[in-house]
Amino acid sequence: MKFYRDIFEASLNRVLPENDKKRFFQAFYTTFIHISPETEQHFSRHAGEEGRQLIYKCFFAMLAVDGVLFVPDFLERTAREQSDEGLRLPPRLFAFWRESMLRTVRAHDPLCDEEVLTAWAMAIAPGLEYLRRQAELHYRAGGE
């Protein structure tokens, strides 16, 4: 029996060393912004340090969402808020978030293989699905 949580956590420790947690995130963010013309267009309107910081915080908060269906308060507020305090991503961009995350893991984890990518996909799925679903319910295109 494989324990994908263990595989994920080992990979997470490799890509997010204690002394440099921002390098991996910055690579993810750059990949996410440039993964498609749609994301480039969205982020050209919502660029800036505040937006990047919000995605940084959501990135780590969504890792806390797991099979027990626990969602941190910060993530819930951010996912639902449609002002400058909220994430404000259209639902369709969350597939790009997933793809960007897996590409970044592949590029930054020296031990990355299909099992590692499967573990990451499983680990981020609950949080990403939560964010996507909240975007379906609360996203307003006029805020774009």
Side-chain angles (χ1 to χ4, degrees):
M1 172 170 31
K2 289 198 182 201
F3 293 99
Y4 283 97
R5 178 54 88 177
D6 293 341
I7 294 170
F8 165 73
E9 287 177 0
S11 176
L12 186 66
N13 287 330
R14 287 189 297 271
V15 300
L16 293 174
E18 210 43 55
N19 62 343
D20 187 10
K21 294 198 180 299
K22 290 195 175 185
R23 184 178 57 88
F24 177 81
F25 173 76
Q26 190 57 50
F28 157 74
Y29 188 73
T30 300
T31 301
F32 186 28
I33 288 173
H34 299 295
I35 199 162
S36 78
E38 188 175 5
T39 56
E40 286 185 350
Q41 182 180 25
H42 177 82
F43 285 106
S44 72
R45 291 191 302 268
H46 297 290
E49 181 62 21
E50 290 166 2
R52 192 180 65 77
Q53 282 297 324
L54 193 58
I55 288 180
Y56 179 80
K57 290 175 185 173
C58 286
F59 171 88
F60 289 104
M62 73 174 219
L63 295 179
V65 178
D66 61 21
V68 297
L69 303 180
F70 163 79
V71 176
D73 291 342
F74 163 78
L75 198 62
E76 183 176 359
R77 280 191 314 275
T78 305
R80 293 178 179 181
E81 182 60 46
Q82 291 300 306
S83 71
D84 288 342
E85 324 282 283
L87 196 53
R88 294 182 301 150
L89 289 176
R92 63 194 175 277
L93 294 192
F94 289 96
F96 292 125
W97 182 313
R98 179 187 182 280
E99 186 178 339
S100 300
M101 182 74 67
L102 296 180
R103 282 187 188 183
T104 308
V105 170
R106 186 181 298 279
H108 286 84
D109 184 346
L111 302 179
C112 185
D113 62 11
E114 292 307 314
E115 294 294 335
V116 167
L117 293 176
T118 298
W120 271 84
M122 292 170 66
I124 66 174
L128 213 47
E129 177 56 21
Y130 176 78
L131 291 173
R132 187 200 63 76
R133 180 67 182 133
Q134 293 307 307
E136 282 182 349
L137 295 172
H138 302 285
Y139 179 73
R140 290 191 302 266
E144 237 183 49

